[in-house]
Structures are given as C-alpha cells and as structure tokens.
Amino acid sequence: MRSYALRTAQGGLRCLSWRPLCHKSKVAYQKCRGFIATPICREEDRKWSTPLAKQLTEAINTTGPIPLASYMRMCLTSDIGGYYTGAIEAGRDQFGRKGDFITSPEISQIFGELIGIWFVAEWMSQGRPKQGVELIEVGPGRGTLMDDMLRTMRNFKDMASSIETVYMVEASKELRAAQKNLLCGEDAVMTESKIGWHSTSKYSGLPIVWTDSIKAIPQDPSKTPFIVAHEFFDALPIHAFQVVEVPPNQQPAPAGSNTSSSSRPDSPTTPSPTYQWREMVVSPTPQGTTHADLGTPKSQQHEPVPEFQLTLNPSTTRHAQYLPESSPRYRTLKSTPGALIEICPDASLYASDFASRIGGSIPSPKNPNAIPKPRPSGAALILDYGPADTIPANSLRGIRQHRRVSPFSSPGLVDLSADVDFGAVAEAALLASPGVEVHGPVDQAYFLESMGVRQRAEMLIQKLGQGAGSEEKKNEIERSWKRLVDRGPGGMGKVYKVLAILPENEGRRRPVGFGGDVSA
C-alpha cells in the first residue's frame, strides 16, 4: 500500500495535502514552508458533497479545527451519513467487487477456512476444553469470515460442541442484518436484550449475539475466548503528530528569571531550542482552493477539490501533551525535527481488552475492576496491514470504488483507513496482562503457507473434476489463493501481517503459522 506525506506549515494555518513518501527510513521527514492565513469564507451558498460534509464544516467553524481522529470517527460511524453506520445511498454495499474494496474472505473461502483451522489447533494445544469456548469477531463485515470459520469448525465435532456463544461486535445496523442473514438465514428471528441482539446460527444451532461494543461482552475468567480481528484495526481513528522546533524566544521563561537579560542573544542564560509535538488537525478547505494549492497527486486531480484539509496546529494540544509521551517508542523521536507519527488509542484499548480476556488482569488503584484469571486460556488473531517494526506515518488513505481518493473528500462515502502499528498493539497487550505473550507479526504469505493454503487449494481443484465449467472455477481458485500470498510490491502476502496474543507459557510453544506446530 502506498502512502502519501503531508506537507505542513511550520507555524501557519494551512498545509499542502499529500505527496509520495518512501517508508524505507525509520522516521519520516517533512519539507515545510509558510503560508499567509486565509480568511474564513462564507459557507451559506456552498454546495456540499454529502450531508456529513456540511455538518462537519458547521461544527469546525464553531469549535475550531478538530483532531484527525475525530474526523475519522465522524466519517466512519456518524449517524448522519457515516460510512458504516449511516449509509445515504440505497442498497449500498461497501464490500466486494461492486463495493469499495474486497477483503481476503471475499477473495477466497480458503482464507476463512484456515483461520478456523488455526483456532482449532489452538483449542487442541490448550487441552481441548469441553465447554466454555467463546468465538468473538470484531468488525465482521458481511459475516463471510465467521461463516467460513463455523463451516470448517463443525467438522471437528469436539471443538464445535465446546463453543457456547458466538459474539459479533458490529456498530452498523445494516451490517448486523447482513451478518444475521448469512449466519442464521433470512427467516431467522433476531431479538434484542440489554447486551445486544440475539439469533441462532444455522450451524448446530449455536447462539449468536451481536453487540455494538466489545465492552458489552461479559468477561468471565472461566471462559476460553477465541478472538479474531480481520481488517478492523486499520479502520480505528488515529491521531497524527509532528515534531517542531520551538525557538528560544517562544519558550516560556523559567520562574524567577530576569526576562530582559535572558532574552539578549549574547546572554549565557539564553535557552537552547527545544522540540515539541504538534497535532495535525482537520479544517475546511477555503473556497477557491485548487489542486495546485493542495499539492494533490496527479492521479486524483480529476476529482473535485477535497472539502477538508489537514493542517498543523500552531500550538500544543491536550493530545499532543500526553499521547506521544505514552511510550518510549514515541519519546525517542522527539529530538528529531520533522518526525511524524500516528497513534491509535483505540487500538491499544482493544488489544488490552483482548489480553485481559485471555490472560486476566491484576487489580490496581488505576484498574480496580480488573479480573484475575487463575488459568489463562484462549487466543486472539489480528490480521491487518501495516509495518512490522516501525511507527506508521502518513498512512491515512481513502478508497472508493476500488480507487485511491483523497481521504478528505466526500465524507461518509469514502472508506478511511490507516496502517496498523503492530508494535503498539503488542506493547498494549503485554502491559494489560501478565498472563499473555505475543507472537508476530509475520507476513500473511508466511502464515497462510504455513497453514497449508496451497494444499487446500489443490484439494478444492481436485474435487471439481472435469465437469462443465470446471476449468474456469479451477483457474479462479488458483488466482485467488495466489493473490492472498503475493509477495510482490503491494502484494497482499507482503503488505498484510498477522499477530497472535496467547496465554503466557514462557515461550515454550510457538503457535501454528508462526513457526510452531500443534501440541495436543
């Protein structure tokens, strides 16, 4: 996946939108230049691409520029035309060839089957518990992945009988309905309770519960949770920050200092330049702005000028004061002028939740409601795209109808996503629970090949025989599995990564797909 760099103004109010950035280096740098402040234009007669665009502009004009995370959250989950929760086009489907993007489960059934096999292998390695198993998926899309997993697991009768409940964490009413139709049947009844929405799976009558938050799923230390998150973390809102150099004359004078003497250039008490994190914020694009003003890539200049832009906040913000200071991974970059980072607090919250369900957590003054777990059990599998060992920067992207578009255009109609910081996910999981360990991330190609993707494809091709139309189906199976493991530039096998959270065992066992085998 390509990403685009932000050209920001060091102390100004505007920035050029995007330009290509190479990710080979550990730190991203910026070339900056200043701009003259643009007066606020009248918006009464402006035509908006979506109702959400108008709402966002009115809110920003009232409160001032908003954090990138707030913009992403509104675009994806707003009740008024949010991409997932407030569709404004009848019959719109975000997924598949007719939608905006296609995911691995939609490309080939083999993907979901192998994920199901991975959890079966973990169930075996953890002593084959006879009851108390929970399947949890966050961001289930149309339900294709869970459908393939359940269809595969029913072939392992002891494993299937140990599953008590399937939980689907889904905020979209429309997607909950689509998932219910696929997993339970169109005629199946869905009832509502305090926890969420309930129905019965077509596979062995398993109860399925939908919630709009993972916090609604009870944490029970006697349960064995198997959690999957596929292309979920990339859609969580991010904050973006840049290191700026603060000149001595802009630094606050130390308490009790003599201002007149300390401000003299030749004074020995003149402070050295310091560095601060500044937050990237979103504001409306002034009317009359052109693609040339924004530095829009040529491939996107046939589109209308984006209605919003990313700017560098001229002063420090609350988020800039604590988020980049929350990890030594970020703090080490503070002395590097122009360094850019993206931080996703929600990703850390989900990773912490996964870890505490698997390994338990220790009550403390900061976490008095923590639930200890005498015997850690379960597993979480996270599959998404992002760098394996660096902090993401400039990775925000917009996708519409399988094409890259500006993430600041047509709010609510464009899918927004950003690279996952796997290092931050691992760090959050390990801090949340002493009862877990983390494996990976490994490339998706390595994981799927270790799980037997080629062998499964050969079995499916062999089953087709020589009937009418079989050659076309065989070719499709061949193309699909090879696409999943493509290691070429931008290939899914290289760009996508897989990370596992498991019960802590002092590294004595590596899981399947990460260099290990089943230890039943």
Side-chain angles (χ1 to χ4, degrees):
M1 298 265 179
R2 284 185 310 160
S3 61
Y4 293 89
L6 307 169
R7 288 190 281 184
T8 62
Q10 280 183 314
L13 302 175
R14 294 183 54 199
C15 76
L16 297 179
S17 291
W18 304 93
R19 64 177 171 82
L21 173 74
C22 177
H23 271 291
K24 292 181 180 179
S25 60
K26 296 285 183 177
V27 180
Y29 294 91
Q30 293 271 34
K31 288 185 178 178
C32 303
R33 66 182 188 184
F35 289 89
I36 298 173
T38 302
I40 297 177
C41 299
R42 294 174 59 86
E43 305 287 355
E44 289 85 348
D45 300 326
R46 189 167 182 174
K47 293 183 179 180
W48 305 102
S49 60
T50 65
L52 182 56
K54 181 180 180 181
Q55 185 193 46
L56 279 166
T57 299
E58 291 172 347
I60 294 172
N61 285 342
T62 301
T63 65
I66 60 175
L68 178 56
S70 299
Y71 173 80
M72 288 184 67
R73 198 181 305 277
M74 288 287 288
C75 288
L76 295 175
T77 60
S78 172
D79 291 336
I80 301 178
Y83 185 79
Y84 289 108
T85 55
I88 60 177
E89 290 181 341
R92 177 170 137 209
D93 189 353
Q94 298 94 337
F95 306 93
R97 290 180 174 85
K98 295 182 179 180
D100 295 320
F101 55 88
I102 186 167
T103 62
S104 295
E106 308 285 344
I107 292 173
S108 173
Q109 70 180 64
I110 300 175
F111 182 85
E113 292 172 347
L114 295 183
I115 301 303
I117 291 294
W118 189 87
F119 283 110
V120 171
E122 272 307 304
W123 172 80
M124 291 179 176
S125 296
Q126 296 184 31
R128 302 172 182 253
K130 296 187 180 339
Q131 60 185 8
V133 171
E134 299 173 333
L135 293 183
I136 302 173
E137 183 177 5
V138 292
R142 291 195 297 202
T144 307
L145 175 57
M146 183 58 72
D147 187 61
D148 289 336
M149 288 173 56
L150 292 175
R151 177 171 45 79
T152 301
M153 289 177 176
R154 70 177 177 178
N155 296 318
F156 300 86
K157 300 192 182 301
D158 289 344
M159 163 69 172
S161 64
S162 73
I163 302 173
E164 288 188 357
T165 310
V166 177
Y167 290 99
M168 308 283 276
V169 181
E170 179 57 69
S172 167
K173 178 182 177 180
E174 291 78 13
L175 288 177
R176 285 196 297 267
Q179 294 155 17
K180 189 274 298 181
N181 291 342
L182 178 62
L183 298 174
C184 309
E186 294 187 4
D187 296 331
V189 177
M190 179 182 278
T191 60
E192 189 173 355
S193 73
K194 291 182 179 180
I195 294 178
W197 300 263
H198 305 253
S199 194
T200 303
S201 168
K202 62 187 179 185
Y203 299 109
S204 306
L206 279 173
I208 300 183
V209 180
W210 284 264
T211 69
D212 55 13
S213 168
I214 196 168
K215 295 298 182 184
I217 302 175
Q219 281 201 39
D220 187 337
S222 68
K223 304 299 183 184
T224 300
F226 288 129
I227 308 167
V228 62
H230 175 253
E231 288 204 50
F232 171 76
F233 280 76
D234 67 275
L236 296 176
I238 60 168
H239 291 266
F241 303 95
Q242 180 179 13
V243 174
V244 299
E245 183 177 320
V246 181
N249 61 357
Q250 294 184 17
Q251 298 173 32
S257 64
N258 186 322
T259 304
S260 59
S261 62
S262 63
S263 61
R264 287 162 43 198
D266 57 347
S267 172
T269 61
T270 299
S272 303
T274 62
Y275 302 107
Q276 290 183 358
W277 289 105
R278 294 286 168 83
E279 185 167 12
M280 309 299 295
V281 292
V282 177
S283 61
T285 304
Q287 293 195 66
T289 301
T290 66
H291 283 301
D293 295 330
L294 296 175
T296 306
K298 289 184 179 180
S299 61
Q300 296 175 15
Q301 290 187 6
H302 65 283
E303 302 283 349
V305 173
E307 292 160 298
F308 298 89
Q309 60 181 346
L310 200 58
T311 65
L312 184 65
N313 200 304
S315 60
T316 189
T317 63
R318 178 170 55 91
H319 294 119
Q321 289 178 331
Y322 75 87
L323 282 178
E325 303 295 331
S326 62
S327 168
R329 299 173 66 243
Y330 311 139
R331 291 196 293 268
T332 57
L333 297 177
K334 192 173 182 179
S335 60
T336 307
L340 292 164
I341 59 173
E342 293 168 354
I343 301 177
C344 182
D346 285 8
S348 296
L349 291 175
Y350 275 97
S352 299
D353 184 278
F354 296 174
S356 62
R357 290 178 187 274
I358 295 166
S361 50
I362 300 175
S364 66
K366 290 185 178 181
N367 189 16
N369 298 320
I371 302 175
K373 190 169 185 177
R375 187 168 182 263
S377 63
L381 197 64
I382 299 169
L383 307 99
D384 228 310
Y385 48 82
D389 56 2
T390 59
I391 300 170
N394 304 310
S395 71
L396 180 66
R397 58 182 66 82
I399 299 291
R400 188 177 184 188
Q401 297 176 344
H402 301 276
R403 293 186 299 109
R404 181 69 65 85
V405 298
S406 169
F408 301 106
S409 63
S410 304
L413 295 180
V414 173
D415 176 50
L416 302 182
S417 63
D419 285 357
V420 175
D421 186 349
F422 285 99
V425 170
E427 183 179 54
L430 295 173
L431 288 173
S433 173
V436 300
E437 62 185 30
V438 174
H439 295 264
V442 298
D443 289 349
Q444 178 172 287
Y446 176 85
F447 176 81
L448 293 178
E449 288 170 351
S450 300
M451 293 298 300
V453 63
R454 178 188 295 271
Q455 292 80 358
R456 176 56 179 159
E458 291 173 351
M459 288 176 60
L460 291 176
I461 290 173
Q462 189 174 13
K463 284 183 179 179
L464 288 174
Q466 302 298 324
S470 62
E471 286 305 312
E472 183 179 346
K473 292 179 181 178
K474 290 177 181 178
N475 291 335
E476 178 61 25
I477 292 172
E478 190 77 7
R479 284 193 300 267
S480 296
W481 82 262
K482 287 184 176 178
R483 181 179 175 183
L484 295 176
V485 298
D486 178 13
R487 287 187 170 90
M492 297 184 74
K494 182 177 182 180
V495 171
Y496 283 78
K497 307 290 190 298
V498 188
L499 179 143
I501 304 174
L502 298 179
E504 203 280 327
N505 62 61
E506 298 180 351
R508 292 189 297 268
R509 177 181 70 85
R510 297 180 67 84
V512 178
F514 295 82
D517 205 341
V518 179
S519 56

PDB file of all heavy atoms in Angstrom, residues 71 327 412:
ATOM      1  N   TYR A  71     -12.263  13.464  13.098  1.00  0.00           N
ATOM      2  CA  TYR A  71     -12.730  13.476  11.704  1.00  0.00           C
ATOM      3  C   TYR A  71     -12.990  12.052  11.213  1.00  0.00           C
ATOM      4  O   TYR A  71     -14.047  11.764  10.626  1.00  0.00           O
ATOM      5  CB  TYR A  71     -11.694  14.170  10.822  1.00  0.00           C
ATOM      6  CG  TYR A  71     -11.989  14.095   9.338  1.00  0.00           C
ATOM      7  CD1 TYR A  71     -12.906  14.957   8.750  1.00  0.00           C
ATOM      8  CD2 TYR A  71     -11.355  13.153   8.528  1.00  0.00           C
ATOM      9  CE1 TYR A  71     -13.181  14.891   7.389  1.00  0.00           C
ATOM     10  CE2 TYR A  71     -11.618  13.082   7.176  1.00  0.00           C
ATOM     11  CZ  TYR A  71     -12.536  13.946   6.606  1.00  0.00           C
ATOM     12  OH  TYR A  71     -12.822  13.869   5.260  1.00  0.00           O
ATOM     13  N   SER A 327       4.699   6.279  25.290  1.00  0.00           N
ATOM     14  CA  SER A 327       5.531   5.108  25.013  1.00  0.00           C
ATOM     15  C   SER A 327       6.959   5.544  24.701  1.00  0.00           C
ATOM     16  O   SER A 327       7.156   6.574  24.033  1.00  0.00           O
ATOM     17  CB  SER A 327       4.972   4.320  23.818  1.00  0.00           C
ATOM     18  OG  SER A 327       5.896   3.346  23.363  1.00  0.00           O
ATOM     19  N   GLY A 412     -18.174  10.233   4.449  1.00  0.00           N
ATOM     20  CA  GLY A 412     -19.255   9.272   4.565  1.00  0.00           C
ATOM     21  C   GLY A 412     -19.393   8.364   3.366  1.00  0.00           C
ATOM     22  O   GLY A 412     -20.003   7.289   3.465  1.00  0.00           O
TER      23      GLY A 412
END
